[in-house]
Amino acid sequence: MSQPRPRSRNRTCLLSIIGLAGLLIIAVIVIPSLITSQAEHKFGAPSQQLSYRQRLYLSGLILMQSKDLTQPVNPSGSEVNLTIDLGESVSSITGKLWEEGLISNPGVFRSYLQYTGLDTSLKAGDYKLSPAMSPIEIAQAIQSSISADVTLTILPGLRTEEIANALPTSGFDVTAEEFFSAVHTHLEGYSFSTCMADDSLEGYLFPGSYSLPRESTLNDLLPQILMNFDTQVNPELHSGFATQGLDLCQAVTLASIVQREAVLEEEMPIIASVFYNRLNSGAILASDPTVQYALGFNPKQDTWWTNPLSLQDLKVDSPYNTYIYTGLPPGPISNPGLAALKAVAFPAQTPYYYFRAACDGSGRHLFSETFDEHLANECP
């Protein structure tokens, strides 16, 4: 029997290699190029902040589910009023849109916002939207609030920098720099005027929603926030603070710590009791949020609240570091809400000196009397 000639065998192998190389070029270069170009043709130019890999990934997602972006949920649907709060996350906004029946696919809607870069320019305010609008039209609509009034919502536990940085997206014509400068100016005429550590209003920007005409200035907005503090912190609370041996300044400082430590409002009076027990015994408060406040902004984590804290972090030399200085810090570390202030005025009566987060992710804490019990509560 005759054997195939080596030259024929080599030619077959060469053709196979060329074919595989061609398929590889199609898979690696041609197909991705087609995906990104089709996405750009259908949905417009992508955000320049995206890497090539991100652009390819998001392009594929929105192309595969394009109907959920280009077709309205209900062409005959009624108009819906929707409020976007200051600093509200993209996930929260998307969830609201879905719950109101304005979009059918929250996942691809978020992908579209990321692809276009619109996720960085959503505006707080009141909107009138319709399920007869396509999700793409809705995404464009919430880039600019057109309501006569705009609402600033201050969440409990924010520090002044966080409020200042979120303010430009609220709809008010106030810059972060203007706000930050104003809240570091000593103001007279308020119950807390003598409390302002370093002339800062930290702790006294009362959490809540403030609705004002769009043309309102900082001189209109700031007094409303501060007067709300004096309204909410009533004589009953002042009496409660005094009963615990604290003046207003000290009470707000402690409340700001309780606010940052607690996840569940129902635990605030117990957490307050732990800190009272430590204060009364002369022990350090050893509160992580006070160290976070002292550290300031963490550019790597993109947050004002570094987490987790390292052993080196716990050694930062600051009067706000309650791991190395006894007693309360010089002033509040956040702006506490009414629940935290009430917890400080009317704390639970407990024997606890320690607490740590439960291991089940519920946000609850495990409380203990002794350090050995505290160590036993450590997550495995």
Side-chain angles (χ1 to χ4, degrees), residues 40 43-56 58-59 112-120:
E40 184 168 353
F43 298 104
S47 168
Q48 295 184 353
Q49 302 303 314
L50 297 177
S51 66
Y52 176 75
R53 186 173 297 178
Q54 289 171 322
R55 180 184 174 185
L56 177 60
L58 292 171
S59 294
Y112 172 75
L113 292 177
Q114 292 173 314
Y115 171 84
T116 57
L118 296 178
D119 59 324
T120 64

Side-chain angles (χ1 to χ4, degrees), residues 29-46 52 55-56 59-60 63 115:
I29 299 176
V30 177
I31 292 177
S33 179
L34 285 173
I35 291 173
T36 54
S37 62
Q38 284 183 23
E40 184 168 353
H41 176 74
K42 192 174 186 67
F43 298 104
Y52 176 75
R55 180 184 174 185
L56 177 60
S59 294
L63 279 174
Y115 171 84

Side-chain angles (χ1 to χ4, degrees), residues 16-31:
S16 296
I17 292 171
I18 292 173
L20 288 173
L23 290 174
L24 186 61
I25 291 172
I26 292 172
V28 174
I29 299 176
V30 177
I31 292 177

Side-chain angles (χ1 to χ4, degrees), residues 3-289:
Q3 299 294 324
R5 288 179 296 177
R7 183 176 299 175
S8 298
R9 206 165 41 239
N10 291 341
R11 184 180 299 128
T12 301
C13 291
L14 180 60
L15 290 173
S16 296
I17 292 171
I18 292 173
L20 288 173
L23 290 174
L24 186 61
I25 291 172
I26 292 172
V28 174
I29 299 176
V30 177
I31 292 177
S33 179
L34 285 173
I35 291 173
T36 54
S37 62
Q38 284 183 23
E40 184 168 353
H41 176 74
K42 192 174 186 67
F43 298 104
S47 168
Q48 295 184 353
Q49 302 303 314
L50 297 177
S51 66
Y52 176 75
R53 186 173 297 178
Q54 289 171 322
R55 180 184 174 185
L56 177 60
Y57 174 71
L58 292 171
S59 294
L61 286 179
I62 61 178
L63 279 174
M64 286 189 296
Q65 305 170 83
S66 61
K67 286 186 178 180
D68 290 334
L69 291 171
T70 58
Q71 296 182 1
V73 173
N74 183 0
S76 59
S78 301
E79 199 170 56
V80 173
N81 293 319
L82 187 89
T83 297
I84 295 178
D85 296 323
L86 173 65
E88 190 167 2
S89 69
V90 173
S91 293
S92 176
I93 295 170
T94 304
K96 282 184 177 179
L97 293 169
W98 179 74
E99 289 172 358
E100 294 290 348
L102 294 165
I103 60 174
S104 62
N105 188 332
V108 74
F109 186 78
R110 283 196 299 271
S111 295
Y112 172 75
L113 292 177
Q114 292 173 314
Y115 171 84
T116 57
L118 296 178
D119 59 324
T120 64
S121 56
L122 302 178
K123 301 293 185 183
D126 298 320
Y127 295 89
K128 290 185 181 296
L129 304 171
S130 169
M133 300 166 66
S134 72
I136 288 179
E137 290 173 330
I138 289 173
Q140 296 292 336
I142 57 179
Q143 298 302 305
S144 178
S145 176
I146 57 175
S147 59
D149 291 345
V150 291
T151 301
L152 168 66
T153 298
I154 299 175
L155 301 175
L158 294 182
R159 53 189 287 168
T160 53
E161 292 91 344
E162 291 177 292
I163 300 170
N165 290 337
L167 191 60
T169 65
S170 67
F172 287 103
D173 188 19
V174 178
T175 67
E177 292 74 18
E178 289 171 335
F179 183 83
F180 194 70
S181 175
V183 299
H184 283 81
T185 302
H186 188 81
L187 299 177
E188 295 292 344
Y190 296 98
S191 64
F192 51 81
S193 292
T194 59
C195 296
M196 296 172 62
D198 299 324
D199 286 340
S200 171
L201 288 171
E202 189 81 88
Y204 307 99
L205 300 171
F206 200 81
S209 294
Y210 301 89
S211 295
L212 291 90
R214 178 175 297 279
E215 63 273 12
S216 298
T217 66
L218 187 56
N219 290 333
D220 301 314
L221 174 63
L222 190 56
Q224 282 207 23
I225 299 172
L226 302 179
M227 286 188 291
N228 195 25
F229 179 93
D230 275 351
T231 299
Q232 299 294 332
V233 184
N234 56 30
E236 183 183 10
L237 284 179
H238 281 274
S239 178
F241 299 151
T243 299
Q244 303 305 322
L246 302 182
D247 60 25
L248 176 64
C249 317
Q250 295 167 324
V252 175
T253 297
L254 181 54
S256 72
I257 298 173
V258 171
Q259 181 72 66
R260 290 300 312 181
E261 290 278 13
V263 175
L264 305 175
E265 283 190 8
E266 63 203 61
E267 288 190 347
M268 287 182 176
I270 306 175
I271 292 175
S273 77
V274 171
F275 289 129
Y276 275 123
N277 291 340
R278 292 180 185 176
L279 286 171
N280 293 334
S281 69
I284 57 173
L285 291 183
S287 170
D288 285 2

